[in-house]
Amino acid sequence: MLNINDKAIDFTLKDQNNNDIELSSFLGKKIILYFYPKDDTSGCTLEANGYKELYEEFKKENTVIIGISKDSVSSHKKFETKYNLPFILLSDESLSILKTYDVYKEKSMYGRKYMGIVRTTFLIDENGIIKYRNDKVKAKDDAKIMLEMIKNNNY
């Protein structure tokens, strides 16, 4: 499991425009790397719209926002278009990065166990070091909490 003060593990995944995006290409900027279960579901839409609303503030703080789920590139494109999302959405259909970042776990709903993505947010600093990890994310508050943390250097 990756924890605070660990170096973020680099990867390359396809974004919503089918471009290869490499995490290490953002060295020199802060990165909000948030993992979410599924495009266009209520909680995930709430979280994405929170980041959209504060996007310009994050830009002023030299911060890149990247959302990752196991949805396809085309699903991400529809999600981006429907909600006019201004940030990067990465597709990890193979689950390799989800597993590397330890966010693909056994979950339970109504007594039924299944494997899925645990909503998790990482703050990575300009040097590629994980400064914060939250795996108890509340979708509606995630963007506000992360922006306050960055603005106050409280990480």
Side-chain angles (χ1 to χ4, degrees):
M1 181 158 122
L2 291 168
N3 289 306
I4 293 169
N5 294 324
D6 287 347
K7 182 131 180 83
I9 294 174
D10 196 20
F11 59 81
T12 302
L13 290 172
K14 297 279 188 193
D15 72 2
Q16 68 267 38
N17 299 309
N18 207 34
N19 297 313
D20 285 334
I21 302 296
E22 189 173 1
L23 186 66
S24 61
S25 69
F26 298 106
L27 284 174
K29 294 180 180 275
K30 290 183 269 306
I31 302 167
I32 299 291
L33 187 63
Y34 83 92
F35 294 87
Y36 66 98
K38 189 155 180 53
D39 289 339
D40 211 10
T41 55
S42 59
C44 298
T45 300
L46 198 62
E47 186 175 24
N49 279 329
Y51 279 110
K52 178 177 98 172
E53 288 167 19
L54 298 173
Y55 183 72
E56 291 302 319
E57 293 293 314
F58 280 106
K59 274 178 54 176
K60 288 178 192 168
E61 298 294 329
N62 193 35
T63 304
V64 175
I65 299 164
I66 301 173
I68 301 180
S69 80
K70 65 185 182 78
D71 293 308
S72 67
V73 168
S74 63
S75 174
H76 281 344
K77 188 63 183 174
K78 288 177 194 154
F79 188 43
E80 172 205 42
T81 302
K82 182 174 181 180
Y83 295 101
N84 197 27
L85 301 176
F87 50 85
I88 300 165
L89 298 174
L90 297 178
S91 173
D92 186 18
E93 290 182 274
S94 73
L95 311 177
S96 63
I97 303 312
L98 298 168
K99 289 177 179 176
T100 297
Y101 277 77
D102 196 32
V103 299
Y104 191 73
K105 298 182 176 188
E106 185 177 89
K107 297 169 81 175
S108 179
M109 186 182 291
Y110 307 118
R112 185 178 70 85
K113 295 198 181 305
Y114 64 98
M115 294 301 290
I117 298 170
V118 175
R119 192 181 307 278
T120 307
T121 302
F122 291 85
L123 171 59
I124 301 168
D125 76 6
E126 296 88 343
N127 300 309
I129 305 299
I130 296 169
K131 291 299 182 181
Y132 178 77
R133 174 192 173 112
N134 181 7
D135 47 12
K136 295 191 182 347
V137 172
K138 296 204 180 337
K140 75 178 188 71
D141 299 326
D142 193 34
K144 284 182 265 183
I145 290 168
M146 297 309 294
L147 183 60
E148 282 304 308
M149 195 177 286
I150 289 168
K151 281 186 167 185
N152 297 323
N153 287 313
N154 187 19
Y155 53 88

